[in-house]
Structure formats: structure tokens, C-alpha cells
Amino acid sequence: MAGGTTLFLSGDVMTGRGVDQILGRPSDPGLWEAHVSDARRYVELAEQVSGPIPRPVPAEWIWGDALALLERLRPDVRIINLETAITRSDDHWPGKGIHYRMHPDNVASLTVGGIDLCVLANNHVLDFGYAGLSETLSTLDRAGIATAGAGADIQVARRPAILDLGPGGRIVVGAVGTPSSGIPSDWAASSGRPGVSLLDDLSEEAAEELATQVTASRRPGDIVVCSIHWGSNWGYEVPAEQVRFAHRLVDAGVDVVHGHSSHHPRPIEVYRGRLILYGCGDLINDYEGIGGREAFRTELALLYLA
């Protein structure tokens, strides 16, 4: 595009559980975890490390210094992986160890960040079942935030989101998740079932099919982003199959590979002049004060495309 385009790409934004509890309209704090039964416990753990947290906080509070940075850099498009259901539903998915839920009245925590698109092909969007997914989609739609990677059926879940930048081009975003990120196989959308766009494997054939889906609606001047929720939460190594898959996407016409799932940043690669983010880390979570792992880092990926 003439003059270039700046994208803001983040990893996990986890506004449920402890984060939801400090916002203006918290959900019921009850949890179904093995060791924690009340979401407010995560707030208490954070307070033990960093001191008192005011409650309720304004929507912008959870972004810390990030909003000032975004205001200064003024990216043309802001894309996050939203790792929570936005719902009043109490119908938590059975047999799942962790459930994230944000009350719909707290959606201002996303709009205050100027978010244009939420990627939903992840392992928490169906934490509160199909009703929770439906309410998540409708809440984001009313808030003017586009979505990709989940929907009422497989056709909708696979359909790329298109963000219009005015004369000269658009951002086309397709989103998928893989079982390696913890997405249950029965969350996969089908012709008659809501769910996420689930990628069964990282074969060359799968890369070709995904690239075809994402680039099919491309026009001259468009930038094509493929957003993938893949891999483990921990570790800095990038599996060889992810490298091969990302390279094949670029070979097939994808401009940016936006990877996430890891709770900390993973390597970045420029391949054939195109950016590959293998893991963007967490931007917002309620993990402060939880021991036994490496310290978390807030990670922003800001990309200038000429």
C-alpha cells in the first residue's frame, strides 16, 4: 500500500477469570479448577506480589502502559488473540481443567484498546459451550469488533475477516487452531455445528488448503495475515513442522504468519521478505503471583509493511 501500513499483532489477551473480577461487572467467581475454586484468588495472588489492586478498575487499567504506546505508534489495524468467552452462561465445558469467562458488560476493556479484530480459534472460546460462543460473537459484533476463526458452522469459522483500510487495500485475516494448543477435537466446527476452525495437521497439503482459503478473496494491495493458535504454552524451541508449515504459507502467498499460544515470546523470522511470528506471548493475563514457571512478559508485535 502507498505509504505503508502498520499492524498491531498480539498474542493471548485473557480478560476472563481474575481480570474479569476487577472490572466493573464481574462474572460469578466460581471456578471448576483442581486447586482454585474462586476467581478472586488470582487477584489475591497478584496482590501478594505487587500490592493492592483497586476494584473496580476502569477498562483502560488492565492495559497498563500499552495504551500510551499504541496511541504514540497509531497502528492502522489492531489484532489480538482473545483467550476467553464473553458470556453470562454458566454452562462450563465438562472435563476441561481451566475456564475463562468475561461478563459481556466488560467488553469496554477491548473497545478501549481500539481492537479491530479478535482471533477466536483457540482453546478457551468454547469454555462455556455453544451458548457462550454465540454470546461472544454477538457481543463483539455489537461492539464493532470483527472476528475470525470461529462461528456458527465451518463455513463461517473458515471465512477470513476483511478489514477495510480505505483506498488502496485491505487486511485479510484467516485464523485456525491446532490440537497441539489444547483445543479439544470436539470443538471443531462442522457443516451443522458451531465451533472453531481446527487444523488437524501441519502437512504441506494442509498449508496449501489454508493458504488457498485465506488468499481466495485477495485484491491488489491487500495484506494477507494467517493467524494460528499452535504449540505448547512453554518452551522457546520452535518445532520443525511449524517452520515448514509457516514457510509453505508464505510460499503460497500469505504475507504475515501470526502465531500464538505460548505464554512467552518465541522466535521471529523473516522469510522471503515476509514476517513469521512463531509465538507472540501473552499481552494480558491474571498469572502474576503464580509460581513454578518463568516470569511472564508482555509482548507487543508492531509490524510496518511497506
Side-chain angles (χ1 to χ4, degrees):
M1 293 181 185
T5 300
T6 303
L7 306 184
F8 163 67
L9 301 167
S10 95
D12 297 357
V13 170
M14 307 165 81
T15 54
R17 210 168 62 175
V19 175
D20 178 65
Q21 290 303 304
I22 65 173
L23 291 169
R25 179 62 171 86
S27 305
D28 186 305
L31 298 176
W32 300 267
E33 299 177 12
H35 302 291
V36 180
S37 60
D38 191 310
R40 291 169 292 191
R41 177 59 180 155
Y42 288 98
V43 183
E44 294 170 359
L45 290 170
E47 289 180 318
Q48 290 174 13
V49 174
S50 300
I53 295 174
R55 278 172 268 183
V57 298
E60 62 269 17
W61 190 91
I62 66 172
W63 290 84
D65 296 331
L67 291 186
L69 179 61
L70 288 169
E71 179 63 24
R72 179 168 63 85
L73 295 171
R74 293 186 175 276
D76 297 289
V77 169
R78 305 181 187 194
I79 299 171
I80 65 171
N81 174 54
L82 180 64
E83 192 105 323
T84 189
I86 308 176
T87 182
R88 300 172 180 85
S89 173
D90 292 320
D91 188 19
H92 68 284
W93 196 276
K96 197 168 184 290
I98 297 176
H99 301 81
Y100 283 99
R101 168 178 58 176
M102 178 175 75
H103 195 283
D105 289 351
N106 291 331
V107 73
S109 63
L110 302 177
T111 57
V112 74
I115 302 306
D116 296 294
L117 184 145
C118 289
V119 170
L120 300 180
N122 59 55
N123 58 314
H124 286 291
V125 72
L126 271 157
D127 278 356
F128 287 84
Y130 299 118
L133 172 61
S134 178
E135 192 170 12
T136 299
L137 292 165
S138 62
T139 300
L140 291 172
D141 182 62
R142 287 194 302 272
I145 299 175
T147 60
D153 55 42
I154 188 59
Q155 289 74 28
V156 176
R158 287 179 175 173
R159 185 183 303 152
I162 298 177
L163 305 175
D164 195 346
L165 299 180
R170 310 171 303 171
I171 308 296
V172 180
V173 184
V176 296
T178 71
S180 64
S181 69
I183 301 174
S185 59
D186 47 358
W187 283 18
S190 67
S191 59
R193 183 178 68 186
V196 304
S197 180
L198 188 64
L199 193 67
D200 291 331
D201 61 59
L202 297 181
S203 65
E204 182 173 336
E205 293 76 14
E208 292 280 359
E209 182 179 354
L210 177 58
T212 298
Q213 291 172 10
V214 178
T215 61
S217 57
R218 181 180 214 150
R219 298 176 183 171
D222 287 355
I223 296 169
V224 175
V225 178
C226 189
S227 188
I228 311 177
H229 200 64
W230 58 1
S232 63
N233 292 154
W234 302 100
Y236 292 97
E237 296 297 322
V238 177
E241 64 175 354
Q242 289 187 7
V243 176
R244 288 192 296 268
F245 193 82
H247 286 185
R248 193 68 198 99
L249 289 176
V250 172
D251 292 340
V254 171
D255 296 306
V256 181
V257 178
H258 171 219
H260 36 83
S261 178
S262 58
H263 290 313
H264 52 75
R266 281 188 169 147
I268 294 172
E269 179 184 12
V270 176
Y271 170 72
R272 296 184 61 184
R274 298 293 183 258
L275 186 71
I276 300 172
L277 302 165
Y278 287 103
C280 288
D282 287 357
L283 177 56
I284 296 174
N285 64 36
D286 64 354
Y287 288 3
E288 189 173 11
I290 301 175
R293 292 288 188 180
E294 302 157 72
F296 286 86
R297 292 170 51 193
T298 295
E299 185 74 4
L300 306 182
L302 286 150
L303 163 65
Y304 177 81
L305 295 172

